[in-house]
Amino acid sequence: MVLLMNVHLLASEMIKLFEKNTIKMQGFPLNVCFFYLCKKFITMRKSNFKLIPNLFLALALIFTISSTVGCKKDDPDRDKFLATYSVIETCGSGTDSYNITISESSTGDENVIISNLYNASGTLNGTVSGDDLTVANQLDTSSGYSFDGSGSISGETLTMTFTVAGDGAVD
């Protein structure tokens, strides 16, 4: 905004100088007239050269403030899911305890990798949206199980509901 006002000021002062000197400049080529006006403008502005360092400082300050305030990227929703969890699983075949790890995926800010779900030692892809985690129907090739489910996080507690199919059984 400061820069635009200075450009406008420069243009208006050049026009005023041109209007004052039009009679003197009749019959001269346009480039001579322009050179004369620039020379007059520079002569008139010599006392303001002390302001140039201050102008650069002001522009640098404005740039710094606008780039730090306006461009801050929010943390992805997935960051609150990234951890190793101690799982106590209750299902039709009984209760089991194991750990799962949720880590970030390189395929997007909303994607995660879930390791060792169902104590199957494989990895699955999940998608995060807000406080919700979705594991779309997919096959864990290392265990041969198919997984489909969802979950949500509250504080440091992750609650998941999922279906596992494999070896002719569903759990």
Side-chain angles (χ1 to χ4, degrees):
M1 177 143 288
V2 173
L3 184 60
L4 292 176
M5 290 187 323
N6 287 337
V7 170
H8 176 71
L9 180 65
L10 170 70
S12 65
E13 289 184 14
M14 290 292 283
I15 291 169
K16 287 177 190 174
L17 279 174
F18 184 77
E19 288 171 352
K20 288 179 184 177
N21 295 302
T22 49
I23 297 172
K24 295 178 189 173
M25 292 186 191
Q26 286 179 349
F28 287 96
L30 185 59
N31 59 346
V32 173
C33 297
F34 182 74
F35 175 76
Y36 175 76
L37 287 176
C38 288
K39 185 176 175 186
K40 281 283 204 182
F41 183 75
I42 291 171
T43 305
M44 185 175 77
R45 286 290 193 177
K46 275 189 180 177
S47 63
N48 291 336
F49 282 131
K50 293 182 257 176
L51 299 176
I52 290 176
N54 292 336
L55 176 64
F56 284 125
L57 181 62
L59 288 175
L61 182 62
I62 290 169
F63 175 75
T64 303
I65 290 172
S66 65
S67 64
T68 55
V69 173
C71 298
K72 183 180 182 293
K73 185 178 176 185
D74 293 333
D75 293 332
D77 288 338
R78 73 172 176 195
D79 285 358
K80 58 186 145 201
F81 285 88
L82 305 179
T84 298
Y85 297 91
S86 295
V87 176
I88 299 173
E89 178 184 291
T90 305
C91 59
S93 61
T95 302
D96 197 8
S97 298
Y98 55 91
N99 291 330
I100 65 168
T101 300
I102 299 180
S103 56
E104 54 185 54
S105 172
S106 61
T107 61
D109 285 346
E110 70 280 355
N111 297 327
V112 294
I113 299 170
I114 305 165
S115 301
N116 200 41
L117 187 62
Y118 196 62
N119 208 15
S121 71
T123 59
L124 301 165
N125 296 312
T127 305
V128 172
S129 178
D131 291 337
D132 299 321
L133 170 65
T134 303
V135 178
N137 190 16
Q138 60 188 286
L139 176 65
D140 174 15
T141 55
S142 67
S143 68
Y145 294 123
S146 263
F147 292 87
D148 187 32
S150 61
S152 62
I153 194 164
S154 177
E156 294 181 0
T157 303
L158 174 64
T159 305
M160 291 189 69
T161 303
F162 59 94
T163 304
V164 181
D167 293 334
V170 176
D171 197 9

